[in-house]
Short mmCIF file of all heavy atoms in Angstrom, two decimals:
data_model
loop_
_atom_site.label_atom_id
_atom_site.label_comp_id
_atom_site.label_asym_id
_atom_site.label_seq_id
_atom_site.Cartn_x
_atom_site.Cartn_y
_atom_site.Cartn_z
N ILE V 269 0.86 -1.18 0.00
CA ILE V 269 0.00 0.00 0.00
C ILE V 269 0.90 1.23 0.00
O ILE V 269 1.85 1.33 0.78
CB ILE V 269 -0.92 0.01 1.23
CG1 ILE V 269 -1.83 -1.23 1.22
CG2 ILE V 269 -1.76 1.28 1.27
CD1 ILE V 269 -2.64 -1.40 2.48
N GLN V 270 0.56 2.18 -0.85
CA GLN V 270 1.31 3.43 -0.92
C GLN V 270 0.40 4.57 -0.51
O GLN V 270 -0.67 4.77 -1.10
CB GLN V 270 1.85 3.67 -2.32
CG GLN V 270 2.90 4.75 -2.41
CD GLN V 270 3.52 4.85 -3.79
OE1 GLN V 270 2.80 5.18 -4.74
NE2 GLN V 270 4.80 4.58 -3.91
N LEU V 271 0.83 5.30 0.54
CA LEU V 271 0.04 6.41 1.07
C LEU V 271 0.83 7.70 0.91
O LEU V 271 1.93 7.84 1.47
CB LEU V 271 -0.30 6.17 2.54
CG LEU V 271 -1.09 7.29 3.25
CD1 LEU V 271 -2.44 7.51 2.59
CD2 LEU V 271 -1.26 6.97 4.73
N ASP V 272 0.26 8.59 0.12
CA ASP V 272 0.90 9.90 -0.13
C ASP V 272 2.35 9.74 -0.61
O ASP V 272 3.26 10.46 -0.18
CB ASP V 272 0.85 10.77 1.14
CG ASP V 272 -0.58 11.12 1.54
OD1 ASP V 272 -1.44 11.20 0.64
OD2 ASP V 272 -0.83 11.28 2.76
N GLY V 273 2.58 8.73 -1.49
CA GLY V 273 3.90 8.53 -2.10
C GLY V 273 4.86 7.73 -1.27
O GLY V 273 5.97 7.43 -1.75
N ALA V 274 4.51 7.35 -0.06
CA ALA V 274 5.39 6.55 0.79
C ALA V 274 4.85 5.13 0.89
O ALA V 274 3.64 4.92 0.97
CB ALA V 274 5.52 7.18 2.17
N ASP V 275 5.78 4.15 0.89
CA ASP V 275 5.36 2.76 1.00
C ASP V 275 4.82 2.48 2.39
O ASP V 275 5.43 2.85 3.41
CB ASP V 275 6.53 1.82 0.70
CG ASP V 275 6.88 1.80 -0.78
OD1 ASP V 275 6.01 2.20 -1.58
OD2 ASP V 275 8.00 1.41 -1.12
N GLY V 276 3.67 1.83 2.43
CA GLY V 276 3.05 1.45 3.69
C GLY V 276 3.07 -0.05 3.88
O GLY V 276 3.95 -0.74 3.37
N PRO V 277 2.08 -0.59 4.60
CA PRO V 277 2.06 -2.04 4.88
C PRO V 277 1.77 -2.86 3.64
O PRO V 277 1.24 -2.37 2.64
CB PRO V 277 0.95 -2.16 5.93
CG PRO V 277 0.07 -0.98 5.67
CD PRO V 277 0.96 0.13 5.23
N ALA V 278 2.15 -4.14 3.73
CA ALA V 278 1.84 -5.08 2.65
C ALA V 278 0.39 -5.51 2.74
O ALA V 278 -0.22 -5.51 3.82
CB ALA V 278 2.77 -6.29 2.73
N ILE V 279 -0.15 -5.91 1.58
CA ILE V 279 -1.52 -6.41 1.54
C ILE V 279 -1.59 -7.52 0.51
O ILE V 279 -1.03 -7.41 -0.58
CB ILE V 279 -2.52 -5.27 1.23
CG1 ILE V 279 -3.96 -5.78 1.31
CG2 ILE V 279 -2.22 -4.63 -0.13
CD1 ILE V 279 -5.00 -4.66 1.24
N ALA V 280 -2.22 -8.61 0.87
CA ALA V 280 -2.36 -9.73 -0.05
C ALA V 280 -3.62 -9.56 -0.89
O ALA V 280 -4.54 -8.81 -0.53
CB ALA V 280 -2.42 -11.04 0.73
N ALA V 281 -3.63 -10.24 -2.03
CA ALA V 281 -4.83 -10.21 -2.87
C ALA V 281 -6.00 -10.80 -2.10
O ALA V 281 -5.91 -11.87 -1.50
CB ALA V 281 -4.59 -10.98 -4.15
N GLY V 282 -7.14 -10.05 -2.03
CA GLY V 282 -8.32 -10.49 -1.30
C GLY V 282 -8.30 -10.13 0.16
O GLY V 282 -9.19 -10.56 0.91
N ALA V 283 -7.32 -9.34 0.63
CA ALA V 283 -7.22 -9.00 2.05
C ALA V 283 -7.64 -7.56 2.29
O ALA V 283 -7.79 -6.75 1.36
CB ALA V 283 -5.79 -9.22 2.53
N THR V 284 -7.86 -7.24 3.60
CA THR V 284 -8.21 -5.89 4.03
C THR V 284 -7.20 -5.46 5.09
O THR V 284 -6.92 -6.22 6.03
CB THR V 284 -9.63 -5.84 4.60
OG1 THR V 284 -10.56 -6.25 3.59
CG2 THR V 284 -9.97 -4.42 5.06
N VAL V 285 -6.67 -4.25 4.97
CA VAL V 285 -5.69 -3.72 5.91
C VAL V 285 -6.16 -2.35 6.39
O VAL V 285 -6.55 -1.50 5.59
CB VAL V 285 -4.29 -3.61 5.27
CG1 VAL V 285 -3.33 -2.87 6.19
CG2 VAL V 285 -3.74 -4.99 4.95
N ALA V 286 -6.16 -2.15 7.74
CA ALA V 286 -6.56 -0.87 8.33
C ALA V 286 -5.32 -0.04 8.61
O ALA V 286 -4.31 -0.53 9.12
CB ALA V 286 -7.36 -1.09 9.61
N ILE V 287 -5.40 1.22 8.32
CA ILE V 287 -4.32 2.17 8.60
C ILE V 287 -4.89 3.26 9.49
O ILE V 287 -5.63 4.14 9.04
CB ILE V 287 -3.76 2.79 7.30
CG1 ILE V 287 -3.29 1.70 6.34
CG2 ILE V 287 -2.62 3.75 7.60
CD1 ILE V 287 -2.81 2.21 5.01
N PRO V 288 -4.59 3.22 10.81
CA PRO V 288 -5.14 4.23 11.71
C PRO V 288 -4.28 5.49 11.72
O PRO V 288 -3.19 5.54 11.15
CB PRO V 288 -5.09 3.52 13.07
CG PRO V 288 -3.90 2.62 12.95
CD PRO V 288 -3.84 2.17 11.52
N GLY V 289 -4.80 6.51 12.45
CA GLY V 289 -4.03 7.72 12.68
C GLY V 289 -3.74 8.51 11.43
O GLY V 289 -2.68 9.12 11.32
N VAL V 290 -4.68 8.54 10.50
CA VAL V 290 -4.49 9.30 9.28
C VAL V 290 -5.05 10.70 9.49
O VAL V 290 -6.20 10.86 9.95
CB VAL V 290 -5.17 8.61 8.09
CG1 VAL V 290 -4.95 9.42 6.81
CG2 VAL V 290 -4.65 7.19 7.93
N ALA V 291 -4.27 11.71 9.19
CA ALA V 291 -4.71 13.09 9.40
C ALA V 291 -5.92 13.40 8.53
O ALA V 291 -6.02 12.92 7.39
CB ALA V 291 -3.57 14.04 9.06
N PRO V 292 -6.86 14.17 9.06
CA PRO V 292 -8.02 14.55 8.24
C PRO V 292 -7.58 15.30 7.00
O PRO V 292 -6.61 16.06 7.01
CB PRO V 292 -8.82 15.45 9.18
CG PRO V 292 -8.35 15.11 10.56
CD PRO V 292 -6.92 14.74 10.43
N GLY V 293 -8.27 15.09 5.90
CA GLY V 293 -7.96 15.77 4.66
C GLY V 293 -7.92 14.80 3.49
O GLY V 293 -8.38 13.65 3.57
N THR V 294 -7.35 15.27 2.38
CA THR V 294 -7.29 14.49 1.14
C THR V 294 -5.95 13.77 1.07
O THR V 294 -4.89 14.37 1.31
CB THR V 294 -7.45 15.41 -0.08
OG1 THR V 294 -8.71 16.09 0.03
CG2 THR V 294 -7.42 14.59 -1.36
N HIS V 295 -5.99 12.48 0.72
CA HIS V 295 -4.78 11.67 0.63
C HIS V 295 -4.80 10.88 -0.67
O HIS V 295 -5.86 10.66 -1.28
CB HIS V 295 -4.69 10.71 1.82
CG HIS V 295 -4.56 11.41 3.14
ND1 HIS V 295 -3.36 11.79 3.67
CD2 HIS V 295 -5.53 11.82 4.03
CE1 HIS V 295 -3.56 12.40 4.83
NE2 HIS V 295 -4.88 12.43 5.07
N ALA V 296 -3.56 10.45 -1.10
CA ALA V 296 -3.41 9.61 -2.30
C ALA V 296 -3.09 8.19 -1.85
O ALA V 296 -2.12 7.96 -1.13
CB ALA V 296 -2.31 10.14 -3.19
N VAL V 297 -3.93 7.25 -2.26
CA VAL V 297 -3.78 5.85 -1.86
C VAL V 297 -3.67 5.00 -3.12
O VAL V 297 -4.47 5.15 -4.05
CB VAL V 297 -4.96 5.37 -1.00
CG1 VAL V 297 -4.75 3.93 -0.56
CG2 VAL V 297 -5.14 6.28 0.21
N GLY V 298 -2.65 4.13 -3.18
CA GLY V 298 -2.48 3.25 -4.34
C GLY V 298 -1.75 1.98 -3.96
O GLY V 298 -1.46 1.73 -2.78
#
């Protein structure tokens, strides 16, 4: 998972991953 251009946690196909503590506002997720 990439959040705002930085690599985040891994995620498998068919899985769900929660990312807490995200600042309010607009973010880029890919």
Side-chain angles (χ1 to χ4, degrees):
I269 299 173
Q270 194 174 64
L271 178 61
D272 296 331
D275 287 340
I279 185 170
T284 300
V285 172
I287 304 176
V290 181
T294 302
H295 297 272
V297 182

